[in-house]
Structure formats: structure tokens, C-alpha cells
Amino acid sequence: MTQRIAVLGATGSIGDSTLAILAAQPQHYDVYALSGHHRLDKLFTLCQQFLPKRVSVPLTAVDDFARRLSAAGLNIDVVGGEAGLVEIAKDSQTDTVVAAIMGAAGLPSTLAAARAGKRILLANKEALVMAGQVMIDAVKANNATLLPLDSEHNAIFQCLPLAIQQDNTQIHQKDHGVRKLWLTASGGPFLQQSFEQMQQASVAEAVKHPNWSMGQKISVDSATMMNKGLELIEACHLFNLPEDKINVVIHPQSIIHSMVEYSDGSFLAQLGSPDMKTPIAHALSYPKRMGSGSQPLDLYALSGLEFIEPDLQKFACLRLARQAMQAGTHATIVLNAANEVAVAAFLDGQIRLTDIADINEQALTEIQVPSLNDNADIDDILAIDKIARHHTDRLIENLT
């Protein structure tokens, strides 16, 4: 049976890789809906190519985009804003939602998909960083399926027993023998440079990732290792483990995408070329396998694999992520919001790259918000997010 896919965040790098796979498998997948925010010309081209039934754009662009589609002879329903994304995510015609919208903006639609019992391919890590327990509870209560697209989490998922893949509470059963999870990190563009060199880094240097082709925000997060900190928080929720059971190791070659350490001394690792089409193809076809179109790994060409312990003074964001996870979800919301605001300020030339960690630490220390209880919902989460963003704006004003 053909699987109807909604790709939310279709114009980003995850969208590119996902749509390349879907285009090669038209007999199995139907692109039912797409969304885009900034690159609407690219979204229009995708609409011409894939002929989705629905498309979501910013509210201010709905009428103009609808006219463009109509003039091109395309009969596509156009919806707008957050409400439009939520509508597509819970649409009865949507089977699978690829949640690839960057940042907090992707949370409402991802949560809507969970509550509608959809199959969710999760690339939006903020959904779990900001609303981890709420998301996991919604997935379980509505018989939704949550499959990780991040290469690291997808690697861990593949290295876990089937029982844990199907029920993450099984990870605590001694018979499965899971001792620790290991998230690998590339170390980003400044791994071999000093902190002082990082202080002088330009935007162009910060977004030039050595191994992966990614958007600006996630590339900056990789440079500060905040991306790995957010992934650590995400892994705690995905795999039902405390943060002290998850280690981070720098692996500059990005060949081993992550590992599971077992009580008998075994390490199971997933290897592959640094290409997001591999984890996307795995999640799309799970529990089966299909071709991804990625370049096969050439083992003979590997000269060596390195593993380095992260420097938590140089990459303070990783330390802050652990602190936030220990403090609770209210703190991870604050950290994520502060980081998004600080990264945007760096990209705009207002602050230095190394100021991001300082601002994040100030935000965690200074912002007083209530802890979230078991009945917390998206409104409570977004309220904390708003407070944190406003406070971080003031921190940046004072700094500049």
C-alpha cells in the first residue's frame, strides 16, 4: 500500500534528502503535503515536481502562493502559519509526518501528529528538548510511532534490541544488558583550533562543517557543540535514560554514527558514509530496508578512526546541556530558547561565536521559571519559551 507522506520543512537539507528518496520510490510513497517558510520559490518548484494535495506557507504568503499555483494550473490546497502545519500533521489522509522544521517552530505540528496517532520521522530535536515527556506520553497514548532521523539517534535505535525499539521502557530490563549509549560528534570546524581562535571566528568559518551539509543554525550549533548537547537531551527522552547513562565522544571522521555499550563488554556501532539519506531511508522503510541512494562506505579507504574526549571548557554548551537535563524540562526549554536567540544574534554579526555559551549560561542562571508538572501542556511550554527569549534579547542588548 502506498504511504502518504507530509514533509514539514521540505525546503531544508532534511527535506532535500527525504524528497530524493521519495522520488526514487514512487510505487511505495505519495508526497501528500509539503511545507516551507523562507524559500518559497523552491517550495513552488517542489509543488510542480511532486504535485502534493496540500501545502503550508507563512500566513502572509497564502494568497500570493495560491495565485501562483493556480496560474501554473496546479490544484493544491494552501494553508498558512502554525495552524496550517497542525492541520496537515493531523490530516486523516496523512500517514507519515517527516518533522523537519527547525527550532521551536516545529513543536506544535509534531505534537499534533503524535496526538493524531501518526507515524513520525523526527528530525526536529527541539520537540523533545522542549516537550520531551509531553511528546513521549502523546505518542504512547495515541499509538503513534516515533522514529528518529538524526543520524546519531537513528544509529542507536538500530543498535538496540527489537524489544527496546518497540517500547523504550524495556531498556531497563537487565536481560537486554544495555549499559550506556555513546553519541558521536564530529567536533565541528574548530576541533583543532584554540578557544582564542574560536573567539575570532567569522560566520563563514562557523557554518563550514567539515563533514555534513546542513543549514546555518545547526552548523553553528555543531561549531559550539550545542547540537550534541541538544541531542543528548533528546536521547534521554527517546531511549528513557538519565543523562549520566549517555556519553559523548568526538569522532572526527563521522563514520561511526553512534554506539550502544552492553554489560558484557560489547559495543554495537552503526557505520556509514556521512549522508542523511541513510537514516531517512531506514526510518521510512522500518522495519524493512530499502535503497537510500547514498554512497556505500568504502572500508578499504578508511585510514583510521579517532575518538576524542570533548573539552568542556572550550565546548561549554555541552556541559550546559547536561546541567539543564539534570534540572528538568523547564531548564531545557530555557536553554533551547536562549541558544536559538544567541545563534541568530551571531549570524547577524551582533556577538562572537564564543558569546553564545556565555549567554546560554547566563540565561540558565538568571531566568526564573516554574518547574513543569505532569499535567503540563504546550501552552505552559511555550510560555516558558517566550520568557526565555525575551530575557535573552535583553542579555544580548547589554552585551552589545
Side-chain angles (χ1 to χ4, degrees):
M1 191 174 83
T2 304
Q3 196 178 148
R4 291 163 298 197
I5 313 290
V7 184
L8 304 184
T11 59
S13 60
I14 296 294
D16 288 343
S17 295
T18 302
L19 290 169
I21 294 170
L22 297 179
Q25 302 275 348
Q27 71 276 26
H28 298 303
Y29 303 101
D30 174 42
V31 178
Y32 176 72
L34 299 172
S35 87
H37 190 74
H38 295 300
R39 286 168 276 192
L40 296 186
D41 287 340
K42 180 176 180 178
L43 183 64
F44 180 76
T45 301
L46 293 176
C47 287
Q48 291 177 304
Q49 179 182 354
F50 290 97
L51 303 177
K53 301 294 187 296
R54 310 192 76 181
V55 62
S56 179
V57 297
L59 269 177
T60 54
V62 169
D63 292 341
D64 181 59
F65 203 79
R67 280 193 293 269
R68 287 182 69 184
L69 292 173
S70 180
L74 300 176
N75 183 23
I76 299 173
D77 178 40
V78 183
V79 294
E82 181 183 297
L85 293 168
V86 167
E87 194 178 326
I88 287 173
K90 64 183 185 180
D91 188 323
S92 62
Q93 297 300 304
T94 301
D95 298 319
T96 296
V97 174
V98 178
I101 296 173
M102 185 189 73
L107 172 58
S109 54
T110 307
L111 186 56
R115 288 175 172 164
K118 303 299 184 184
R119 183 181 173 101
I120 304 164
L121 276 53
L122 186 67
N124 172 260
K125 58 178 60 66
E126 289 79 9
L128 290 180
V129 170
M130 296 175 64
Q133 199 54 53
V134 173
M135 270 292 302
I136 297 299
D137 288 347
V139 166
K140 292 182 177 180
N142 297 283
N143 293 316
T145 301
L146 186 63
L147 297 169
L149 285 193
D150 269 346
S151 61
E152 296 83 0
H153 301 105
N154 183 268
I156 288 170
F157 184 88
Q158 292 192 51
C159 293
L160 288 169
L162 179 62
I164 299 175
Q165 293 178 3
Q166 295 176 339
D167 176 7
N168 67 3
T169 62
Q170 287 284 316
I171 202 164
H172 300 288
Q173 295 296 320
K174 286 188 177 180
D175 288 351
H176 296 310
V178 175
R179 179 183 286 162
K180 281 191 175 182
L181 307 182
W182 288 80
L183 288 169
T184 57
S186 69
F190 304 111
L191 176 61
Q192 303 301 333
Q193 297 188 30
S194 67
F195 181 80
E196 289 71 28
Q197 288 173 303
M198 281 182 68
Q199 283 182 311
Q200 306 304 317
S202 67
V203 169
E205 290 169 328
V207 300
K208 191 176 181 182
H209 195 280
N211 299 333
W212 297 91
S213 174
M214 306 182 293
Q216 283 195 316
K217 195 270 181 182
I218 193 171
S219 295
V220 173
D221 281 348
S222 181
T224 64
M225 284 196 73
M226 175 54 85
N227 191 47
K228 207 53 51 179
L230 297 177
E231 287 177 7
L232 184 148
I233 296 168
E234 186 182 4
C236 291
H237 294 295
L238 276 172
F239 304 114
N240 198 21
L241 285 177
E243 55 81 25
D244 62 351
K245 294 291 186 182
I246 302 173
N247 286 1
V248 173
V249 60
I250 294 175
H251 169 53
Q253 292 77 29
S254 295
I255 296 299
I256 292 178
H257 297 300
S258 278
M259 297 171 280
V260 178
E261 179 184 351
Y262 286 89
S263 56
D264 61 5
S266 299
F267 278 69
L268 295 191
Q270 187 264 340
L271 285 71
S273 300
D275 186 338
M276 281 305 298
K277 289 197 288 292
T278 300
I280 293 169
H282 171 266
L284 276 169
S285 60
Y286 179 83
K288 299 179 180 178
R289 298 267 181 175
M290 69 175 184
S292 67
S294 61
Q295 187 70 28
L297 184 63
D298 183 356
L299 292 175
Y300 297 118
L302 297 180
S303 58
L305 301 177
E306 297 175 89
F307 300 96
I308 304 165
E309 185 174 359
D311 180 343
L312 296 184
Q313 289 187 309
K314 181 176 171 182
F315 298 115
C317 286
L318 185 55
R319 169 178 56 82
L320 297 176
R322 285 197 183 276
Q323 288 178 206
M325 189 64 204
Q326 291 165 358
T329 300
H330 64 287
T332 63
I333 297 169
V334 168
L335 179 62
N336 179 72
N339 185 68
E340 284 192 19
V341 173
V343 169
F346 168 69
L347 290 171
D348 286 343
Q350 298 178 52
I351 61 173
R352 299 176 301 179
L353 180 69
T354 50
D355 291 333
I356 294 173
D358 294 337
I359 290 166
N360 289 342
E361 186 155 26
Q362 272 189 277
L364 276 177
T365 303
E366 296 177 11
I367 298 174
Q368 301 298 315
V369 291
S371 297
L372 293 173
N373 58 39
D374 292 340
N375 299 318
D377 203 347
I378 190 167
D379 290 338
D380 304 306
I381 292 163
L382 294 177
I384 294 175
D385 178 77
K386 185 177 181 180
I387 292 168
R389 288 172 189 274
H390 180 68
H391 189 96
T392 307
D393 281 333
R394 293 209 312 270
L395 291 175
I396 291 169
E397 287 173 11
N398 292 339
L399 186 66
T400 57

